Each structure stands twice: as structure tokens, then as C-alpha cells.
Amino acid sequence: MSETIELAKALVARRSITPDDAGCQALLISRLEPLGFYCERLRFGEVDNLWARRGNDGPLLAFAGHTDVVPSGPEERWNSPPFEPTIRDGLLHGRGAADMKGSIAAFVTACERFIDQHPKHGGSLALLITSDEEGPATDGTIKVVETLESRGEKIDWCLVGEPTSVDHLGDTVKNGRRGSLNGRLTVYGIQGHVAYPHRVRNPIHLAAPALAQLSATEWDRGNDHFPPTSFQISNIHGGTGATNVVPGELEVTFNFRFSTEQSAEGLQRRVEELLIHHALDFRMEWTLSGDPYLTPAGSLVEAAREAIAEITGTETRLSTSGGTSDGRFIAPTGAQVIELGPRNATIHQLNEGVELTHLDQLSAVYERTLEKLLLQP
């Protein structure tokens, strides 16, 4: 087994369910410090974070990732225990193998080989690792970035190891993400007996036309880099559970995934204007998970594309699809940010797995990207 696979196995064996790092970062430190990295543990709340940097000069290239994983689900339905790394049919199986302990292992082994061959490389190299990506993401990468910003430490290029590949390693690289805006709507009515409709105001009936209009609205048509903004209701609740009681309140939660054609403020304003138009008695609560960001063609995108082609022979497609990632906290600092990792076919599923050959190729792609960016004259 290669160094990358062995390290990935060691990480998968740690039951690091959000926000518990379970010793993953200590293992990384034991590999990074001998390479000359200054390793800084940054703990916020219950979250362990690691900022490891080698060098003081610019430009600064940072690998970003997370050691935390989602719960395994029913362990008896796994073909092998989720935190017992198992090699089967050419894959490493275990929770986090693809999302994203395999990428973190590839970060480290790429750095080890790169530094061994180029100990006096230009610029600086760093790893930003959190245990709060799969959870609320309030005490993880965002807090580390705030710390770096407060002391004037700027990331120039950031490569996030999220699993982006679809069919072949490197066939898809994320060079941006849509924004995510969550809304919690409470519509107020008057509770009462269903047999006396003149004495009640049914908030479900009152809200239905507004919800239908929200669902049917074309918010925009997207642009060359982003699909159209989407609106989806995720939860709806009203009633006491009794069949003969009209509820006094209706609660609806929904989400916008929005392109750069929109702003969070603009979407909030349009929604609230529509609710007022429908004469609803309501309360709105908004939570912005992140604004959209885009890294256009540039040095980082081109270095990754060339490295992928050289190592795998694959032509890369740029995409902004999918959910959010911690790249949304790093991009606003002015850094070029892309996401590149293994296939995402089994992430968050039972029997999550990653191809062994892809782990070794991924490490080689990361190493080649380092050479293209940090060995420039």
C-alpha cells in the first residue's frame, strides 16, 4: 500500500463525527512538523482547527479540508464497520474515505514528496484543517480565516479537497459555488374548531397562494457560470395532530441556492414584499450560509487543469453545481479558490468508498500543482 492509502486508512479509523476531530489533526501534525511546518492549533468552542504553514514569503498556497464526518447511519447495514477501514474491490471503504479524509491524506503525501524534491521552493505552503465542516460551520474555517485576516496573513491560492469528480478523477473541478440562503416563515392565524370556519383563520389556507407563487417564480436565468437561482421548501408544519382543530400557526422552512445574479438582501426583500402583498400576518427569520463566489480562469485553475491532464489524461470541466463548501469563507478574502477531490458517488452513503488508484493519482495531481505554482521563476 502507498503512503497515501496508509494515511487515509489511519484517518478513516478515527471516529471523528462532527465536531469531534478524534485525534486526526494530531496525526497530521506528526507528519507535517518534520517537514518544517509551524503547526498552530486553533480551538473555538468545541471545534478543533489546524493552521500549518511552511515558509513566510508569498505567494501562499493552502490546502483546505475537514477531518469531521457525518454519522454512519445504521452500522449493521454496512458491509464492513464504517470506522474500520476496509479494502474491497479496489476501493477503500469507511466513513469519510471520499469526503474527505482521502483528500487530506493526498495533501500530506503530496507535500512530503514536493518538499523532499524542492526543500527551498518559492512562496509558502499551508494546510487549513477543521472539524466543523459537516456541522454548523460556525467555529471552523470561518474562525480560522478571521484569525488570519486579523494578522494580515493572506492566502493567494486555496485548493479545497472536496470530492468533485464524477466519472473519472479530475473530470470536474469546482471553481465556484452558489450562495445559500435559508428562510424560516411563520404565518399566524386563529386556532379553532374545524366545524366553525367563521371563527378561525387557517394559516395553511392563507399561506398556500403565497407559497405557490414563490415556488413558481423565475428568480433569474443564471449566467455563463451559474444555473438559475432555485427556491425549495424543505419543511412545513402546522396543526396539533388532531383532525378537528384548525392550527393557529404555520411554519415553513425553505432555501434559496442563488447565483451571482442575486444578492441575499434582494431575495429577502422580494420574498417579504410578496408575503405582504398576500396580506399575511407573518414573521420571517433569515440565515445566510454563504454568498456565491467564482474563481475565473487564472493561475490556479490553469495549474490544476494542466496537472490533471498530465497525470490522468482527463480533460477537466469547471462547475459551480452542488452544495456549499468551506471555500465560501476563503474566497471573500481575495484568494483564488478551487475544489478538487475524488469521486463523489458514495459520499454520505452507506459503504462510502474511494478508488485506491484515485487516491494515488490525486496525490500526484496535488504535487504537480504545487510544482506549477511554487516553482515559478
Side-chain angles (χ1 to χ4, degrees), residues 3 13 43 61 64 68 78 102 145 150 153 171 173 182 201 212 217 239 248 253 322 328 334 337 347 351 365 372:
E3 285 288 321
R43 184 173 175 87
L61 186 153
D68 62 314
W78 284 67
V145 169
S150 70
E153 202 166 352
D171 60 3
V173 166
N182 300 295
R201 295 183 70 245
T217 297
T253 55
R328 70 189 187 274
V337 179
I347 60 174
N351 299 309
V365 168
K372 290 179 178 294

Side-chain angles (χ1 to χ4, degrees), residues 11 21-22 45-46 60 65 91 95 116 141 145 179 188 205 261 275 278 286 295 340 345 348 359 368:
L11 291 169
D21 171 70
E46 298 181 344
L60 170 59
L91 281 78
R95 175 57 82 224
D116 180 63
T141 299
V145 169
Y188 299 101
H205 295 180
E261 298 295 308
L275 298 174
H278 283 269
W286 296 99
T295 296
L340 166 60
H348 293 206
L359 289 179
R368 191 74 186 99

Side-chain angles (χ1 to χ4, degrees), residues 317-329:
R317 179 179 70 94
L318 298 179
S319 171
T320 60
S321 64
T324 58
S325 81
D326 277 1
R328 70 189 187 274
F329 303 127

